[in-house]
Amino acid sequence: MAKINENYLKLPGSYLFSVINQKVDAFTKKNPGKELIRMGIGDVTRPLVPSVIGAMKDAVEEMGTFEGFHGYGPEQGYDFLRDLIVENDYRKKGIDIQADEVFVSDGAKSDTGNIGDIFSADNKVAVCDPVYPVYVDTNAMSGRAGSYDKESGHWSELIYMECSAENGFLPPIPDKHADLIYLCFPNNPTGMAADRDYLKKWVDYAISEGSVILFDSAYETFITQPEIPHSIFEIEGAKKCAVEFRSFSKTAGFTGNRCAYTVIPHELVIDGARVNSLWNRRHTTKFNGVPYIVQRGAAAVYGEQGQREIKEVIKYYLNNAEIIRGGLAKAGLTVYGGVNAPYIWAKTPDNMPSWDFFDRLLEEANVITTPGVGFGPSGEGYIRFTAFGDADKTKEAVERIIKIL
Amino acid sequence: MAKINENYLKLPGSYLFSVINQKVDAFTKKNPGKELIRMGIGDVTRPLVPSVIGAMKDAVEEMGTFEGFHGYGPEQGYDFLRDLIVENDYRKKGIDIQADEVFVSDGAKSDTGNIGDIFSADNKVAVCDPVYPVYVDTNAMSGRAGSYDKESGHWSELIYMECSAENGFLPPIPDKHADLIYLCFPNNPTGMAADRDYLKKWVDYAISEGSVILFDSAYETFITQPEIPHSIFEIEGAKKCAVEFRSFSKTAGFTGNRCAYTVIPHELVIDGARVNSLWNRRHTTKFNGVPYIVQRGAAAVYGEQGQREIKEVIKYYLNNAEIIRGGLAKAGLTVYGGVNAPYIWAKTPDNMPSWDFFDRLLEEANVITTPGVGFGPSGEGYIRFTAFGDADKTKEAVERIIKIL
């Protein structure tokens, strides 16, 4: 008889957003008149910018003509896009990355989820706690996580690195060996960024331990402080030990458009095998490229007009973040993040459990947030706000919260 | 030290299309004046039809407005598309499939490549020979294929089912046990289709053995003969033992647009676990949906205008297939396929090796094809022609071949 991957059965339900939805539905039924403000899910709300829309319209037109039609493209992405990525996101910033080190894909979720395929099942994996659940769940699926302990909310074989107010949400380098280390900076969910010194410690650790850093920089475009690196490859030695994941989702509002990229330097070699070649093999075997139209849209982001337009949008969201930070502080909450990221991570009042505070914000302020504990046990006592909403509604939400606290 | 997935190192190079390209490049350099006609790669050449272009343009416009912007969509696809798929591709044909049994994705390549994730590594896998290489390579990557033998061109742990002229390219049901069986009908590369009786044997086998049939019907739209089923789910019992992969790539020219879907009936249960739920978990964890714009384009295929337009295109390609079939027969070759599929599978003259005949067609007729042996050892002595080209060029290619043979 066919046998399923038993690891899937070990996964706890992915209840976070479905529990939130149930609570919101129940509240709406009881209070049909109340206008809810959503600051929960990390999804953008501003439309795609005109230069992207224009480029995609042109590309759609092309696809309807004999001369402009594009069938299968290169799985790794069209040269026009890879070259723009390399030039603008790396070389202009003094980082020497080659076009064939860039793999265009349909999302950082897919890439951070699939990267494990090219590694053996018996690698020791380290993740932050709280954490973007995809890193954990995909390792559990491939048998690297061991068994799940409901009590602790942890998997037996993962190394959890606690991110707390005490360590500034930058967990110390572990005192044991880890093979694969997932880092996300600026961080989801805490909204905190890592500076060069901190990342240098990781690179040194990875080189000395022979580990690979899987660096998710999906939020780099929100960085406002000059001391915060945008890429792990700004750190000396990183090309020998790191993979970087980037996305157009938050940079250019592509969450519904699906385009991202992963950078794997040729220098990253494990036991004689180039990780770039392994990923190239996976990417060309299990993936068939991002739609031509979408890649044209992504390319437009790098134009002069595109840059001006997306920077306006990012400014808009960062302004929301400032409103949330300031407002919550005024309400007496201790807040983190939101300076180099679209997320604000707030301590609940009086160490209230995350879910209780979530309920209170929903019922009394009619604001939807995400309970910190949903991202891992160390998120208990925190709540996440996102800055992706409408500015007026964000202001109103903050005013409502100030009123009830 | 981090450890790579050693299975990747066992993979032989994917030389087929790169060797073809090298040969073509060398020929072009030596013969700069010669006009080559491409009948090699299975990629469409006709532009997207007007109804799809119109729908995508509208969707692009929407994405530039506050009211019409779409961020993250449901990973499994928007209801508007899943409902259309269910209604048009199944219910209208008397097959009862539910919308939540349909998973919209970015390609049948991705889905047939990734489906292995939800199965244990120790399943026994059966594939046809010749075969679409993705089935084999992805099983090799996940450790189900054993080791590769250069001599035979086979992997030690796979069950190969020889498709030959003697068995009408419908391999007999194996006399041993297989857990996962990859079937592709109408077939790539042979272009041959399977009738109900044949598929019924597979379903009976799968049910009695507790196997799962992974049924790739990416070419179903080319079926012209009424006795050929379009879906495995036309066969009684199939919902208990089969997964079906479909694609808009060949149906509607979406190779550069990326949209497909996989159907997993709730009735497909292995050892108490619903395969639909396992795939849902994978799909929502490692994938973030198909672009909204692309899904709108796919939905337009089901409109009255869309249906009329895509049928015209399919007719155009099938007419090419007829030209190729007739012409090659006139040239004295024995031909298969091309009636219910866009592929023509021709026996080489005098049992000439595939690559020799490829060279001859390139050098003497200036026509690019694909050597059958590139799809597996049982493809030796065959050559594949695709019907996706321009009609006039297809005619000319056939005339050139007739002249040289």
Side-chain angles (χ1 to χ4, degrees):
Chain A
M1 201 172 75
K3 289 160 278 297
I4 63 160
N5 178 346
E6 299 274 343
N7 295 311
Y8 274 64
L9 303 183
K10 301 181 195 163
L11 290 161
S14 60
Y15 293 132
L16 179 61
F17 289 102
S18 70
V19 172
I20 291 175
N21 285 340
Q22 282 163 25
K23 282 176 178 276
V24 170
D25 286 349
F27 178 83
T28 309
K29 248 184 214 163
K30 255 206 269 176
N31 307 275
K34 301 275 187 195
E35 192 228 347
L36 293 172
I37 299 177
R38 293 173 189 274
M39 303 173 88
I41 291 180
D43 193 5
V44 298
T45 59
R46 315 289 295 171
L48 290 174
V49 299
S51 53
V52 169
I53 293 293
M56 291 209 297
K57 260 199 250 173
D58 290 348
V60 171
E61 293 273 9
E62 274 190 79
M63 292 290 280
T65 67
F66 283 99
E67 313 72 39
F69 178 74
H70 284 73
Y72 291 123
E75 288 99 340
Q76 305 91 338
Y78 281 101
D79 284 344
F80 66 77
L81 182 56
R82 294 171 100 188
D83 289 345
L84 282 169
I85 289 168
V86 159
E87 189 54 33
N88 291 279
D89 292 343
Y90 293 99
R91 292 204 190 143
K92 273 189 188 165
K93 292 164 182 171
I95 306 166
D96 181 32
I97 292 289
Q98 311 298 317
D100 65 356
E101 296 175 320
V102 173
F103 297 86
V104 176
S105 81
D106 66 323
K109 181 181 178 186
S110 310
D111 285 354
T112 56
N114 288 324
I115 193 79
D117 281 16
I118 61 170
F119 296 103
S120 156
D122 63 352
N123 283 290
K124 197 78 187 169
V125 172
V127 294
C128 290
D129 173 16
V131 66
Y132 176 50
V134 168
Y135 313 152
V136 172
D137 291 356
T138 56
N139 276 292
M141 286 168 171
S142 55
R144 285 191 204 96
S147 56
Y148 182 71
D149 179 47
K150 236 181 171 172
E151 197 89 359
S152 68
H154 279 173
W155 290 82
S156 59
E157 294 300 321
L158 297 183
I159 298 174
Y160 287 90
M161 307 183 290
E162 193 186 327
C163 304
S164 63
E166 290 66 42
N167 60 35
F169 301 94
L170 300 178
I173 313 294
D175 51 12
K176 47 190 159 186
H177 174 76
D179 296 303
L180 303 176
I181 302 136
Y182 290 80
L183 296 178
C184 173
F185 291 109
N187 187 261
N188 174 19
T190 71
M192 297 295 272
D195 64 16
R196 280 186 180 73
D197 289 349
Y198 178 72
L199 292 180
K200 183 72 172 77
K201 280 183 209 159
W202 271 116
V203 168
D204 291 345
Y205 169 88
I207 288 173
S208 82
E209 295 283 320
S211 329
V212 176
I213 296 171
L214 301 168
F215 192 78
D216 186 347
S217 69
Y219 301 97
E220 64 79 26
T221 201
F222 292 91
I223 293 172
T224 58
Q225 295 178 316
E227 66 270 26
I228 304 299
H230 288 243
S231 167
I232 188 76
F233 301 123
E234 290 181 39
I235 311 302
E236 208 197 314
K239 283 164 81 175
K240 284 192 178 64
C241 65
V243 170
E244 179 158 288
F245 304 94
R246 292 256 186 123
S247 172
F248 293 92
S249 282
K250 308 299 159 70
T251 307
F254 270 48
T255 52
N257 227 12
R258 315 305 316 136
C259 195
Y261 64 88
T262 288
V263 179
I264 310 187
H266 293 304
E267 292 173 44
L268 178 55
V269 174
I270 299 177
D271 211 9
R274 286 199 306 159
V275 176
N276 181 291
S277 304
L278 300 175
W279 185 248
N280 188 59
R281 190 65 206 248
R282 190 208 175 276
H283 207 64
T284 53
T285 305
K286 291 184 149 195
F287 184 65
N288 232 333
V290 168
Y292 173 72
I293 295 162
V294 171
Q295 292 193 58
R296 280 290 175 204
V301 168
Y302 293 104
E304 205 183 305
Q305 188 196 337
Q307 282 295 300
R308 203 170 50 239
E309 289 169 347
I310 66 156
K311 277 175 185 158
E312 273 302 307
V313 176
I314 299 300
K315 215 170 115 184
Y316 183 94
Y317 291 139
L318 280 169
N319 188 50
N320 284 349
E322 191 47 45
I323 291 167
I324 300 168
R325 278 177 60 81
L328 296 182
K330 205 171 148 189
L333 297 182
T334 308
V335 292
Y336 303 96
V339 174
N340 299 299
Y343 299 118
I344 291 89
W345 189 244
K347 190 88 199 69
T348 61
D350 309 319
N351 291 315
M352 193 185 278
S354 295
W355 277 112
D356 290 358
F357 192 49
F358 168 90
D359 287 338
R360 194 171 160 203
L361 289 174
L362 174 62
E363 282 158 24
E364 298 178 22
N366 309 146
V367 171
I368 307 170
T369 56
T370 309
V373 71
F375 298 98
S378 296
E380 182 57 287
Y382 290 91
I383 202 119
R384 191 188 77 171
F385 293 81
T386 72
F388 288 124
D390 173 79
D392 288 336
K393 286 198 180 168
T394 301
K395 262 179 225 150
E396 196 191 320
V398 167
E399 278 160 23
R400 290 189 198 167
I401 294 168
I402 293 172
K403 230 180 256 172
I404 65 151
L405 289 185
Chain B
M1 201 174 77
K3 288 160 281 296
I4 63 159
N5 177 347
E6 299 274 343
N7 295 311
Y8 275 64
L9 304 182
K10 301 181 197 165
L11 290 162
S14 61
Y15 293 132
L16 179 60
F17 289 103
S18 70
V19 172
I20 291 176
N21 286 341
Q22 282 163 27
K23 282 176 178 278
V24 170
D25 285 351
F27 178 83
T28 309
K29 249 184 214 161
K30 256 204 271 177
N31 306 275
K34 301 274 188 196
E35 192 229 347
L36 293 172
I37 300 177
R38 293 173 189 275
M39 302 172 90
I41 291 181
D43 194 3
V44 298
T45 59
R46 314 290 294 170
L48 290 174
V49 299
S51 54
V52 168
I53 293 294
M56 291 208 298
K57 260 200 247 172
D58 290 348
V60 171
E61 292 274 9
E62 274 189 79
M63 292 290 280
T65 66
F66 283 99
E67 312 73 39
F69 178 74
H70 285 73
Y72 292 122
E75 289 98 341
Q76 304 91 337
Y78 281 101
D79 284 344
F80 66 78
L81 182 55
R82 294 172 100 187
D83 289 345
L84 283 169
I85 289 168
V86 159
E87 189 54 33
N88 291 280
D89 293 343
Y90 294 99
R91 291 203 190 144
K92 272 188 190 166
K93 292 162 182 172
I95 306 166
D96 181 31
I97 292 289
Q98 311 297 317
D100 64 356
E101 295 175 320
V102 173
F103 297 86
V104 176
S105 81
D106 66 322
K109 181 180 177 186
S110 311
D111 285 354
T112 55
N114 288 323
I115 193 79
D117 282 15
I118 61 170
F119 294 104
S120 156
D122 63 352
N123 283 291
K124 197 77 186 171
V125 172
V127 294
C128 289
D129 173 16
V131 66
Y132 176 50
V134 168
Y135 312 152
V136 172
D137 291 355
T138 56
N139 275 292
M141 287 169 171
S142 56
R144 284 190 204 97
S147 56
Y148 182 71
D149 179 49
K150 238 181 170 173
E151 196 89 0
S152 69
H154 280 173
W155 290 81
S156 60
E157 295 299 321
L158 296 184
I159 298 173
Y160 287 91
M161 306 183 291
E162 193 188 326
C163 303
S164 64
E166 288 67 42
N167 59 35
F169 302 94
L170 300 179
I173 312 297
D175 51 11
K176 45 191 158 186
H177 173 77
D179 296 305
L180 304 176
I181 303 136
Y182 290 79
L183 296 178
C184 174
F185 291 110
N187 187 261
N188 174 17
T190 70
M192 296 295 271
D195 63 16
R196 278 183 183 75
D197 287 348
Y198 179 71
L199 293 180
K200 182 71 173 77
K201 281 183 206 157
W202 270 116
V203 168
D204 291 345
Y205 170 88
I207 289 175
S208 83
E209 294 284 320
S211 329
V212 177
I213 296 172
L214 301 167
F215 192 78
D216 186 347
S217 68
Y219 301 98
E220 63 81 25
T221 201
F222 292 91
I223 293 172
T224 59
Q225 296 178 314
E227 66 269 28
I228 304 298
H230 288 243
S231 165
I232 187 78
F233 301 123
E234 291 182 39
I235 312 301
E236 207 198 314
K239 285 166 80 175
K240 285 193 177 62
C241 65
V243 170
E244 178 158 289
F245 304 94
R246 291 257 185 122
S247 170
F248 293 92
S249 283
K250 308 299 159 70
T251 308
F254 270 47
T255 53
N257 227 13
R258 315 304 316 134
C259 195
Y261 64 87
T262 289
V263 178
I264 310 187
H266 293 304
E267 292 172 45
L268 178 54
V269 174
I270 299 176
D271 211 9
R274 285 200 307 161
V275 176
N276 181 290
S277 305
L278 300 174
W279 185 249
N280 189 58
R281 191 61 205 252
R282 191 209 175 275
H283 206 65
T284 53
T285 304
K286 292 186 148 193
F287 183 66
N288 231 334
V290 168
Y292 173 71
I293 295 161
V294 172
Q295 291 192 59
R296 280 289 176 203
V301 168
Y302 293 104
E304 205 184 305
Q305 189 197 337
Q307 281 296 300
R308 203 170 49 238
E309 289 169 348
I310 65 156
K311 277 174 186 159
E312 272 304 307
V313 177
I314 298 301
K315 215 169 115 183
Y316 182 94
Y317 291 140
L318 279 171
N319 189 51
N320 284 348
E322 191 46 46
I323 292 167
I324 300 168
R325 278 176 60 81
L328 295 181
K330 205 171 146 187
L333 298 181
T334 310
V335 291
Y336 303 96
V339 174
N340 299 300
Y343 299 119
I344 291 88
W345 188 245
K347 192 86 199 73
T348 61
D350 309 319
N351 292 316
M352 193 185 278
S354 296
W355 277 112
D356 291 356
F357 192 49
F358 169 90
D359 287 338
R360 193 169 161 206
L361 290 175
L362 174 63
E363 282 158 27
E364 299 178 23
N366 309 146
V367 172
I368 308 170
T369 55
T370 310
V373 71
F375 297 99
S378 297
E380 182 56 290
Y382 289 90
I383 201 116
R384 192 190 75 171
F385 294 81
T386 71
F388 289 124
D390 173 78
D392 289 336
K393 286 198 179 166
T394 300
K395 263 179 225 151
E396 195 191 321
V398 167
E399 279 161 23
R400 290 189 198 166
I401 294 169
I402 292 173
K403 230 180 257 170
I404 65 152
L405 288 186

